[in-house]
Amino acid sequence: MDPAEAVLQEKALKFMPDPWCHTQMPRGLKGRESKCSMPRSLWLGCSSLADSMPSLRCLYNPGTGALTAFQNSSEREDCNNGEPPRKIIPEKNSLRQTYNSCARLCINQETVCLASTAMKTENCVAKSKPQSQQRDHKVHSWWKSYTCVEKELELFGDTSKSYLPLLIDLDNTTRIMSCSLNSSHTRTSAVKIPLTASPLKARGLDHIAENILSYLDAKSLCAAELVCKEWYRVTSDGMLWKKLIERMVRTDSLWKGLAERRGWGQYLFKNKPPDGNAPPNSFYRALYPKIIQDIETIESNWRCGRHSLQRIHCRSETSKGVYCLQYDDQKIVSGLRDNTIKIWDKSTLECKRILTGHTGSVLCLQYDERVIITGSSDSTVRVWDVNTGEMLNTLIHHCEAVLHLRFNNGMMVTCSKDRSIAVWDMASPTDITLRRVLVGHRAAVNVVDFDDKYIVSASGDRTIKVWNTSTCEFVRTLNGHKRGIACLQYRDRLVVSGSSDNTIRLWDIECGACLRVLEGHEELVRCIRFDNKRIVSGAYDGKIKVWDLMAALDPRAPAGTLCLRTLVEHSGRVFRLQFDEFQIVSSSHDDTILIWDFLNDPATQAEPPRSPSRTYTYISR
């Protein structure tokens, strides 16, 4: 052995993890550890010990790894002096402490080492029947432990930093097995495994390693690729960058929308074709930072108000104004003051169909994949076929204008200027029956929303009332607005309302507390929507405001930092808006529909590409 290699090997022995301490070696290997001809570097899959040093520093360093190896020069110069390797003490919040605290993920080192001894001799002639049975039991226990890994990983969610130590144990254990099988001290008829071969692959453990690494985020996956060639091979062969992107698309609507809009979604969720003409792992590895760049651009555009604008002129023949709308990727459905429902092509912005039948202004609407349901100032609710435009049903119950409606899962709730709320059962588009009428408001009920737990209504009487969805019984009243409430959205525990007192209020529906008051609009707040990141409101002052939802829910955030941007393009009152991660679609008294696109801003696309500001490491190989 090269003298320099021997010196490095002797120093590295001090920093090896617990499984290789003499006190933890199985009987078959105890006392022979220093005699093993396998270089210690092969425990991490490197070609030489010198090559493994950077990998150890990368993997085990303060704040990111389990070991405190190579921290300072005094420790590096300290030799064993004939003593057994010192036990490594993990940092207080280290990776290995997180790993050891997860009892279900921990692999008993003694069992692993005993299993390696048992596997070493499984092809030999058994010395005695009880010993053979005992070895079989140990092997079965070891494999049972690793078989449970896949189920345990699903239970722990995205705590990816707990998985790397498990993979290290798996990697190192397979290498001890290879060393044991090839040792000159072993009398066995088994076929020897070359030390240069892939230990994980030779033992059929690739799928376990892939499952462990597939739970890592991008930063951790980059770091894992740099550990050694073996881990890089597992990452590449397992298409782990593709799996990471697919996981993000499944769980994040922003990623899903980008996949559809940018076209790279066509490469996801497909098995490898027989001809092998599928993008390699390097394609997805290069795609990931481009996706991050798009996400950074979108967030920046929202905050800075950069957007492209498309305008639809509705050209109403009589009275002008677009009172309500809803959109998807193919179409925009709008209800107009001239008593019609117009359906627009989202791509060409041309009117595809006009539905007529109401004798008053169309004040509210909602559609799904089967029907469009509209409410009008003519006091009726009408049901239309979304594909043909045929009128399927007319519901006559309210005695004044139907101001708002919502439907979902076979249930519909309507509210009216007559101060009542009607709850309907929807068996089919033609079979809709009245279940219950809720009475309690002292003025027109302007808006309703509901889920499986609560029905929430807001009225001109300045109150928000909460009702039980299943029993339709009254629960509580939310008081705080100084004037009538014009709009509202409810989701989970959060209710956001807009009022003619020019303010927006955030409420906790369970306790009825007002969490925050947003001020900024100069006139009545007519429409409001929110998602996980932001609130978007439109008012009679013709302005659309974008608010930071997370900051609004933080009582320490200054009031002046809550409004991110004010958008001014409408020349009349803003009646209705809807938005997603990429765009806002709004309608106004000025008889127009505006599409505010924050993804395809021409000014942003003209700028030279810049590196993402997210704090993850990406290294091309």
Side-chain angles (χ1 to χ4, degrees):
M1 181 181 296
D2 183 68
E5 174 96 1
V7 171
L8 285 174
Q9 178 172 326
E10 183 179 4
K11 292 181 179 181
L13 275 172
K14 179 179 178 180
F15 303 103
M16 288 299 149
D18 293 350
W20 291 277
C21 293
H22 288 281
T23 56
Q24 293 187 357
M25 294 296 289
R27 182 171 57 184
L29 296 179
K30 189 176 294 186
R32 298 210 323 263
E33 190 222 349
S34 61
K35 298 179 182 179
C36 180
S37 60
M38 181 178 68
R40 301 302 189 275
S41 59
L42 285 180
W43 290 345
L44 284 176
C46 302
S47 58
S48 68
L49 187 63
D51 292 340
S52 73
M53 292 295 191
S55 299
L56 286 169
R57 291 192 188 98
C58 173
L59 194 61
Y60 301 129
N61 60 75
T64 61
L67 303 183
T68 57
F70 313 112
Q71 286 188 10
N72 53 61
S73 58
S74 62
E75 288 183 346
R76 288 196 296 268
E77 295 300 325
D78 185 20
C79 298
N80 287 340
N81 297 325
E83 298 179 0
R86 288 187 292 178
K87 187 173 182 179
I88 304 301
I89 306 292
E91 296 179 17
K92 187 174 182 180
N93 296 316
S94 68
L95 191 66
R96 181 163 292 277
Q97 187 180 39
T98 303
Y99 164 54
N100 288 334
S101 67
C102 301
R104 286 175 291 178
L105 284 179
C106 287
I107 302 300
N108 185 285
Q109 303 294 349
E110 183 179 358
T111 302
V112 170
C113 293
L114 288 172
S116 67
T117 305
M119 294 185 72
K120 176 185 69 177
T121 57
E122 63 184 352
N123 292 325
C124 302
V125 177
K127 294 183 180 180
S128 64
K129 187 173 182 180
Q131 290 180 352
S132 176
Q133 292 177 348
Q134 185 177 8
R135 293 191 192 100
D136 291 343
H137 174 71
K138 294 294 183 182
V139 173
H140 174 73
S141 299
W142 184 84
W143 278 106
K144 184 178 180 181
S145 299
Y146 276 111
T147 304
C148 296
V149 168
E150 299 179 20
K151 297 180 180 178
E152 297 294 342
L153 290 178
E154 295 177 1
L155 294 176
F156 278 87
D158 197 25
T159 54
S160 58
K161 294 186 183 302
S162 302
Y163 310 146
L164 281 176
L166 181 58
L167 183 57
I168 295 168
D169 288 343
L170 175 63
D171 194 11
N172 292 333
T173 300
T174 57
R175 296 184 188 283
I176 282 185
M177 292 178 183
S178 298
C179 178
S180 301
L181 287 172
N182 292 330
S183 174
S184 59
H185 297 273
T186 304
R187 307 298 181 183
T188 176
S189 59
V191 179
K192 291 185 178 182
I193 301 175
L195 292 178
T196 57
S198 166
L200 292 174
K201 195 170 186 177
R203 287 290 166 187
L205 301 177
D206 265 12
H207 70 287
I208 297 179
E210 288 175 11
N211 280 344
I212 295 172
L213 289 177
S214 68
Y215 283 82
L216 299 181
D217 55 22
K219 182 178 179 180
S220 302
L221 191 56
C222 285
E225 285 184 325
L226 299 177
V227 170
C228 60
K229 293 180 180 179
E230 177 71 355
W231 285 25
Y232 181 81
R233 182 196 62 77
V234 171
T235 302
S236 180
D237 292 353
M239 301 292 287
L240 296 189
W241 283 101
K242 177 185 178 184
K243 292 179 180 178
L244 173 60
I245 295 174
E246 288 176 342
R247 186 170 80 241
M248 297 302 297
V249 170
R250 280 194 300 266
T251 58
D252 193 317
S253 58
L254 178 57
W255 284 70
K256 182 179 180 181
L258 278 174
E260 296 170 352
R261 286 165 172 77
R262 293 306 197 205
W264 45 264
Q266 61 180 313
Y267 303 110
L268 304 178
F269 306 107
K270 294 181 180 179
N271 295 326
K272 191 173 182 179
D275 56 7
N277 293 329
N281 187 61
S282 58
F283 168 82
Y284 301 98
R285 198 172 188 272
L287 175 62
Y288 191 91
K290 296 178 182 177
I291 300 172
I292 296 298
Q293 176 66 55
D294 269 344
I295 293 173
E296 291 288 336
T297 299
I298 293 169
E299 293 298 322
S300 175
N301 288 346
W302 273 100
R303 290 189 172 271
C304 299
R306 291 192 295 261
H307 61 272
S308 63
L309 190 67
Q310 293 177 293
R311 192 183 303 267
I312 299 176
H313 294 278
C314 295
R315 296 184 175 86
S316 302
E317 296 181 358
T318 55
S319 53
K320 296 182 181 298
V322 185
Y323 280 133
C324 53
L325 62 82
Q326 185 183 338
Y327 73 90
D328 55 37
D329 291 336
Q330 288 75 41
K331 61 183 177 297
I332 301 173
V333 180
S334 60
L336 282 72
R337 191 179 179 188
D338 66 3
N339 308 346
T340 65
I341 299 107
K342 291 186 178 180
I343 303 176
W344 311 84
D345 187 283
K346 186 77 161 36
S347 301
T348 64
L349 306 184
E350 296 179 353
C351 184
K352 300 192 301 182
R353 184 175 290 114
I354 300 177
L355 310 183
T356 59
H358 279 296
T359 58
S361 300
V362 181
L363 304 178
C364 54
L365 66 83
Q366 184 184 343
Y367 70 84
D368 61 10
E369 66 279 358
R370 295 190 304 165
V371 296
I372 302 171
I373 303 181
T374 58
S376 169
S377 59
D378 64 10
S379 307
T380 66
V381 175
R382 297 177 188 264
V383 184
W384 318 75
D385 187 290
V386 72
N387 296 311
T388 65
E390 177 188 0
M391 188 188 301
L392 304 177
N393 201 349
T394 301
L395 306 177
I396 301 175
H397 165 74
H398 292 289
C399 57
E400 292 192 58
V402 179
L403 301 179
H404 200 252
L405 64 85
R406 302 300 296 169
F407 71 89
N408 189 34
N409 292 332
M411 174 178 167
M412 179 171 65
V413 180
T414 62
C415 63
S416 170
K417 193 176 178 180
D418 64 11
R419 308 180 186 182
S420 70
I421 301 164
V423 182
W424 308 77
D425 290 317
M426 302 175 59
S428 71
T430 57
D431 184 9
I432 302 176
T433 57
L434 183 65
R435 181 202 302 180
R436 186 81 175 265
V437 178
L438 309 181
V439 179
H441 284 291
R442 295 173 295 168
V445 184
N446 295 318
V447 59
V448 290
D449 204 353
F450 74 95
D451 63 8
D452 293 336
K453 189 173 185 180
Y454 294 125
I455 299 171
V456 185
S457 59
S459 168
D461 63 8
R462 309 178 186 181
T463 66
I464 298 170
K465 291 190 180 294
V466 182
W467 318 76
N468 185 284
T469 300
S470 57
T471 65
C472 295
E473 297 297 324
F474 172 75
V475 178
R476 66 177 56 90
T477 300
L478 310 182
N479 291 296
H481 279 293
K482 301 297 189 296
R483 299 184 66 181
I485 302 167
C487 56
L488 170 149
Q489 184 186 351
Y490 156 58
R491 192 179 67 188
D492 299 328
R493 291 187 58 154
L494 183 63
V495 175
V496 181
S497 59
S499 167
S500 56
D501 63 11
N502 305 346
T503 68
I504 298 166
R505 288 181 180 255
L506 283 66
W507 311 80
D508 184 332
I509 196 171
E510 295 294 347
C511 64
C514 180
L515 306 176
R516 172 75 80 162
V517 180
L518 306 179
E519 298 177 323
H521 282 293
E522 300 169 1
E523 295 186 41
L524 179 150
V525 181
R526 181 65 174 80
C527 50
I528 197 157
R529 304 296 294 173
F530 71 89
D531 63 6
N532 295 327
K533 297 178 181 178
R534 53 185 69 91
I535 302 168
V536 182
S537 60
Y540 276 6
D541 57 12
K543 298 175 182 178
I544 294 174
K545 287 184 177 290
V546 181
W547 311 80
D548 188 329
L549 176 60
M550 293 298 103
L553 292 173
D554 182 358
R556 299 168 297 178
T561 64
L562 302 182
C563 184
L564 302 177
R565 187 60 50 179
T566 300
L567 308 175
V568 183
E569 286 291 341
H570 283 294
S571 59
R573 297 173 172 178
V574 180
F575 284 141
R576 193 62 53 91
L577 63 80
Q578 182 185 344
F579 79 99
D580 55 37
E581 292 87 351
F582 308 99
Q583 62 197 328
I584 300 172
V585 180
S586 60
S587 65
S588 169
H589 191 269
D590 62 15
D591 209 39
T592 64
I593 298 172
L594 299 186
I595 304 172
W596 317 68
D597 188 348
F598 295 91
L599 174 62
N600 301 305
D601 173 39
T604 304
Q605 293 176 347
E607 294 178 359
R610 58 182 179 87
S611 59
S613 61
R614 292 281 177 96
T615 56
Y616 79 95
T617 305
Y618 178 78
I619 302 175
S620 59
R621 200 174 181 94

